Each structure stands twice: as C-alpha cells, then as structure tokens.
Amino acid sequence: MGSIDKEMVDLCRKLYVEHKEALDKIMQYGNTTYYLTEVINEILDNEQIYNGKVILKNYGHIVYLPHCKSETREKLQCGFQKDREYLALTISIEIKDENVTIYLQGSGRNENNTAEQNNNYDKLKNIFEKDLNKKINKWGWYILTDTNFKSEVYTNNEEYIKKVKDSLYDKLAEPIAEFNKIISLFENMK
C-alpha cells in the first residue's frame, strides 16, 4: 500500500469513527434496494387496484397476497414462520439495486402442518403439477411467473415513483391473474 493509499485509509477510518451513525444511515437509507423496497411497499399499500395485502416486508423482499376470500386464506395457511404467517401461495417481490423480480410462488410442505393443511397443500400441489405442469425447485417453491424490470434512480422523486408504479402495474398483472386462476381451481376442488 503506497503512502497516499495509507493516508486515505487513515482519513476514511477517522471520518467513519467520528460520523459512524450518520454514515451508517446514509448507507442504509440511501441504498437503492432499501428505497425501492419502501416505494413498492407504499404503492401496494395505497393503490386500490391491487386489492391485496403486504404480509411481509424486509430489506429487498416483499411478500404480497392478492385479495382472496377469508376461508380461502385460511386454507392457504401451511404452518408458521417465526416472523410471519406462512402461506402456501403468495407473490414475492425481490429487489436488488435497480432490478426487481416478481414471481408467483407456491410453498413446499411445512412440517408443522395439520392434517387439514396437508390436505390443502396436496390440492395445491396437484394444481401445480397436473394443471400447470410445474415442478418443485430445490428450495421447495414452485416459481410460476418470473418477471424482471429495471428501475433507474431519478433525481426527481415524483418521476421515479411514477415510473416504478407504471412498471409494477404492468408486471404484477400476470402474477395476480395466475394467482386468481390457481385460487379458482383450488376453491372448486373437492
């Protein structure tokens, strides 16, 4: 390491020690992934057209449940995770930097399932494998729709939010339609 590099490293360490809290906040809240997660969550919460519910939001990941009857929602439960209700069918939105991936996912079997939950899981599994010809992946999820969009950061906040809203509207239509199709098949099964 040259003397200039060492001096720069020492200066950076000194600045970080003196302003650690502010720099940590800048890294967290100035991060595109964090900001885009917040923007998408707010759109889903506030736009009536989606008529669903965010059931999990954390850094870079949103799990969304389109509207379905409460009896159906109860049948979609398949055990519990410590941080959220665990549902057998949801829409997952993953955000990394400016890239957004949206997919409809069905869960694998949960060891905490009751007999009724296992029966409902088997019905969903039957829909996935026979009606939709989808196979389970190595993580135990059926990924039915995988859509990507790239969102560039704008200096104009309103313009950025509008661009994300328009992209989200276009890209969520297919997974929501697929979700509704699966729910309809599920509700009509004996």
Side-chain angles (χ1 to χ4, degrees):
M1 186 181 324
S3 63
I4 295 175
D5 291 340
K6 184 179 180 336
E7 288 173 19
M8 182 60 75
V9 169
D10 290 344
L11 178 61
C12 289
R13 282 191 185 132
K14 180 181 177 196
L15 284 170
Y16 185 76
V17 169
E18 290 174 8
H19 304 285
K20 180 183 181 330
E21 188 175 342
L23 290 170
D24 287 347
K25 296 285 185 209
I26 289 168
M27 291 306 293
Q28 179 182 1
Y29 299 122
N31 180 297
T32 305
T33 299
Y34 177 87
Y35 182 67
L36 196 49
T37 303
E38 293 299 317
V39 167
I40 292 172
N41 183 68
E42 189 172 310
I43 290 168
L44 291 173
D45 276 349
N46 295 328
E47 295 291 319
Q48 295 301 314
I49 57 171
Y50 297 114
N51 196 21
K53 181 179 180 185
V54 172
I55 57 173
L56 173 69
K57 178 197 79 153
N58 59 31
Y59 179 79
H61 189 213
I62 295 171
V63 178
Y64 179 72
L65 180 68
H67 175 72
C68 60
K69 293 185 250 180
S70 58
E71 313 86 72
T72 303
R73 182 186 170 111
E74 286 174 23
K75 289 178 181 177
L76 290 176
Q77 289 180 339
C78 59
F80 287 86
Q81 297 287 75
K82 59 184 172 189
D83 61 344
R84 68 173 165 121
E85 178 180 18
Y86 194 70
L87 299 174
L89 184 66
T90 56
I91 292 176
S92 191
I93 302 168
E94 292 185 354
I95 302 125
K96 177 122 174 69
D97 300 323
E98 298 89 26
N99 295 305
V100 178
T101 304
I102 300 171
Y103 53 90
L104 182 62
Q105 65 185 23
S107 76
R109 192 179 303 275
N110 187 298
E111 73 263 3
N112 299 322
N113 284 0
T114 64
E116 184 180 355
Q117 288 169 331
N118 277 331
N119 184 43
N120 289 329
Y121 172 83
D122 288 339
K123 287 179 184 177
L124 275 172
K125 187 173 189 267
N126 192 40
I127 291 169
F128 288 125
E129 293 181 352
K130 292 193 174 134
D131 296 338
L132 303 175
N133 199 25
K134 300 287 182 180
K135 295 294 178 203
I136 200 163
N137 73 13
K138 65 182 178 181
W139 295 283
W141 295 95
Y142 296 89
I143 298 175
L144 302 178
T145 305
D146 189 355
T147 306
N148 286 292
F149 71 89
K150 190 164 182 76
S151 179
E152 298 86 26
V153 178
Y154 287 88
T155 53
N156 180 332
N157 194 40
E158 288 178 22
E159 184 180 332
Y160 177 73
I161 291 172
K162 182 181 179 342
K163 181 181 186 308
V164 172
K165 191 183 293 187
D166 292 345
S167 294
L168 196 61
Y169 182 78
D170 290 344
K171 302 297 182 181
L172 262 179
E174 183 184 351
I176 289 175
E178 194 74 14
F179 176 90
N180 290 332
K181 173 182 163 187
I182 292 167
I183 292 303
S184 176
L185 289 168
F186 179 73
E187 289 175 337
N188 292 320
M189 285 184 97
K190 300 286 183 229

